[in-house]
Amino acid sequence: MPQNEDPAVSPAVAGDPPLSPATVAVVAGRPRKALDSELNTPVSLSATFVGGGSLGTAALGYGRFANPTWEALESAVGELEGGRALAFASGMAAVAAALHLVPADGTVLVPRGAYNGTHSLTGLLAAQGRISVLPTDITDVEGVRTALAGVRGPVVLWLESPTNPLLEVADLAALAAAGHERGAVVVVDNTFATPLLQRPLELGADVVVHSVTKFLSGHSDVVLGAVVAREETLLAALQAHRTLHGAIPGPLETFLALRGLRTLPLRLERSQASAAELARRLGAHPAVRRVRHPSLPDDPGHALAAAQMTGFGALVSIEVVGGAAGADAVVDAVRLWVPATSLGGVESLVERRRRHAGEPVVVPEDLLRLSVGVEDVEDLWRDLSRALDAALAHAGTPAG
Ligand SMILES: *Cc1c(COP(=O)(O)O)cnc(C)c1O
């Protein structure tokens, strides 16, 4: 991406290597530097912007069209993903906007283990007869290619990698190429990886979707979403959707998200190191039937994740003995880990995903999703391993 050469706008120097993402996370989306200028873009609370008559049309116009605080976050997320970002009221508002790119009578191919909101929304749109939905195994590139060839009409290929919560890894470059051979719009939900670990637009995707609620904000105090694209017609369609459907972000939420984004590289570094260590130890716990984390050499997604990502992420899923009751017993027994939905915050959370009615049935009943935060890893391990003993008691096996 061309660097802005104005030192009042960007610290990047022409001819230098591009700034590292860890630096971009700190410097992007700042106001122009001038004497006494604010270091942070302030929270702009104005429902309208002055314009009209001889003043001409305001660039911002109205609070549903644009807002300076949104734009600061959008420029940072866009720079990190290598495209232009639009902030939305939630991750699901962003998902809905991207799904709106499927025209009536079009088809969307979705991962069979997609995030449950995406799974439920595509199911609803299909039940209403608006679009067709085809569940796919995104770990099988040839299978996706065959499915694409069998579909008539416009297609959106929806990808998630790693998936929530099965942590399946998709070959994004190969799938984007297969999608484009068929003329599909390729969308990647990059919530789990973040642009620090994986940049789908560079791998050929057309649209990236984020739940900014999760890692990008990172403090479990904001619900927010974003889409990122490069192509002008896609951006115009997504922006028109936001303006007309009205799922706009709040200015305070975008301020908090950008504040959280500044420390994403540090948080992620700690969380994913702890996640890999916990994944390794969990494999030896007698209450754990299976550990899913791409860092593990025997994980089905390991080789692909090692090639495609710059880290393995901070989510770990485990399947425990004693079925759903055993898994619930673990959730009841933790004291430091917080039993709650959501992920990507500084606090470690644990959840049995199938407790939600909307969860895809390919997710096992006894699966616990662990979102590893930034606490000390030994404290996390002590609490979790003790709680896992509760599952053993439930399965009727003596804890040992
Ligand atoms: C949470 C999540 C969403 C939805 O985001 P919200 O901010 O909760 O609306 C979408 N995709 C993935 C992968 C998620 O984890």
Side-chain angles (χ1 to χ4, degrees):
M1 234 192 12
Q3 302 285 342
N4 192 318
E5 287 174 33
D6 181 349
V9 175
S10 168
V13 175
D16 280 0
L19 295 173
S20 136
T23 305
V24 172
V26 175
V27 303
R30 302 268 185 203
R32 285 182 69 86
K33 288 184 208 113
L35 185 65
D36 276 341
S37 62
E38 282 154 308
L39 181 58
N40 291 302
T41 302
V43 182
S44 169
L45 296 173
S46 196
T48 192
F49 302 92
V50 176
S54 61
L55 289 172
T57 306
L60 296 168
Y62 179 58
R64 183 160 40 79
F65 308 161
N67 171 288
T69 319
W70 304 354
E71 287 178 357
L73 173 69
E74 289 170 344
S75 88
V77 173
E79 207 171 316
L80 286 170
E81 284 287 5
R84 237 187 77 205
L86 294 166
F88 280 77
S90 66
M92 280 311 296
V95 168
L99 279 173
H100 216 79
L101 297 168
V102 189
D105 81 5
T107 302
V108 57
L109 273 67
V110 284
R112 57 195 175 139
Y115 165 66
N116 83 27
T118 306
H119 180 74
S120 299
L121 180 57
T122 51
L124 180 68
L125 294 171
Q128 292 172 335
R130 295 182 186 212
I131 56 171
S132 300
V133 176
L134 198 57
T136 47
D137 176 359
I138 53 164
T139 65
D140 174 8
V141 177
E142 280 319 304
V144 172
R145 201 190 303 276
T146 306
L148 284 164
V151 174
R152 276 196 213 100
V155 183
V156 165
L157 175 58
W158 192 279
L159 302 170
E160 219 181 286
S161 186
T163 54
N164 179 0
L166 293 178
L167 299 172
E168 291 179 323
V169 180
D171 186 337
L172 296 180
L175 289 166
H180 288 154
E181 275 167 35
R182 169 61 184 74
V185 175
V186 178
V187 181
V188 176
D189 184 332
N190 203 28
T191 299
F192 266 38
T194 85
L196 270 292
L197 303 186
Q198 159 177 294
R199 308 224 273 174
L201 298 179
E202 286 173 6
L203 298 171
D206 301 299
V207 179
V208 166
V209 167
H210 276 286
S211 171
V212 178
T213 312
K214 314 293 171 52
F215 289 101
L216 301 188
S217 293
H219 295 75
S220 308
D221 53 5
V222 161
V223 174
L224 206 67
V227 297
V228 195
R230 287 177 173 170
E231 220 256 308
E232 284 306 323
T233 51
L234 286 175
L235 282 162
L238 292 162
Q239 183 148 17
H241 184 277
R242 179 178 72 177
T243 298
L244 297 174
H245 290 247
I248 56 165
L252 181 60
E253 281 74 6
T254 51
F255 178 90
L256 286 171
L258 183 53
R259 177 185 157 114
L261 184 65
R262 301 299 184 206
T263 55
L264 173 65
L266 291 167
R267 289 185 281 108
L268 199 55
E269 195 179 306
R270 163 70 80 97
S271 291
Q272 71 174 352
S274 297
E277 179 59 22
L278 293 174
R280 198 181 59 74
R281 295 187 194 182
L282 282 162
H285 195 289
V288 176
R289 290 197 302 110
R290 176 171 178 184
V291 186
R292 298 170 186 256
H293 191 252
S295 70
L296 298 169
D298 60 351
D299 189 273
H302 175 73
L304 191 51
Q308 179 169 278
M309 303 170 71
T310 57
F312 297 109
L315 273 301
V316 179
S317 289
I318 54 175
E319 290 155 50
V320 300
V321 298
D328 282 337
V330 177
V331 172
D332 287 340
V334 288
R335 295 181 61 161
L336 173 60
W337 291 73
V338 181
T341 199
S342 197
L343 57 103
V346 292
E347 323 78 4
S348 293
L349 307 183
V350 56
E351 184 181 37
R352 188 173 75 81
R353 289 298 287 171
R354 282 293 297 279
R355 76 193 178 101
H356 298 287
E359 194 68 13
V361 293
V362 291
V363 176
E365 283 281 4
D366 60 5
L367 180 141
L368 290 172
R369 188 185 68 193
L370 308 171
S371 175
V372 181
V374 301
E375 305 92 334
D376 181 84
V377 68
E378 297 302 334
D379 289 336
L380 289 173
W381 172 245
R382 202 174 303 115
D383 188 49
L384 184 61
S385 60
R386 194 158 43 212
L388 280 164
D389 295 339
L392 283 179
H394 231 274
T397 324

